[in-house]
Amino acid sequence: MQEIQEKIAAIEVEGVSGGGMVKLVMNGKGYVAGVAIERGLLNAEEGEVLEDLLAAAFNDAKAKLETASQEDMKLPF
C-alpha cells in the first residue's frame, strides 16, 4: 500500500487554461509544484511574483481543506 501511495505522490499533472496562457503543475498529493503565466499578460517581474503567490495561495487553501476534512472525520466520543 505504501508503494502505491508513493507512486501516486510522485505523479505530476499539468492544468492549462486560456489556450495555454496559464499553466499549473500539481503533484499527486494535490499540491501545486509550479505556475506559469504567459509573459504577454504581465511584465516579466510581475509575472514571476504572481506565479509564486498563486502557487502559495493554492497550497495554503489545500492544507486548510485537508485539516478541516480531518477534523470533520474524527468521531466524537
Side-chain angles (χ1 to χ4, degrees):
M1 183 71 162
Q2 184 177 357
E3 184 178 327
I4 293 171
Q5 289 174 334
E6 289 172 3
K7 274 185 151 179
I8 292 171
I11 293 172
E12 284 194 342
V13 295
E14 181 179 75
V16 180
S17 67
M21 292 189 299
V22 177
K23 297 178 182 179
L24 179 136
V25 177
M26 182 179 287
N27 67 26
K29 290 186 175 185
Y31 285 95
V32 175
V35 176
I37 300 171
E38 188 175 293
R39 290 297 175 250
L41 298 174
L42 305 163
N43 73 42
E45 188 175 312
E46 288 174 339
E48 289 177 23
V49 171
L50 183 56
E51 290 168 352
D52 292 342
L53 290 172
L54 284 169
F58 184 93
N59 290 334
D60 181 54
K62 169 99 171 76
K64 289 176 180 173
L65 178 61
E66 287 177 355
T67 299
S69 297
Q70 289 173 0
E71 290 295 320
D72 286 346
M73 291 177 64
K74 289 182 181 175
L75 296 175
F77 289 100

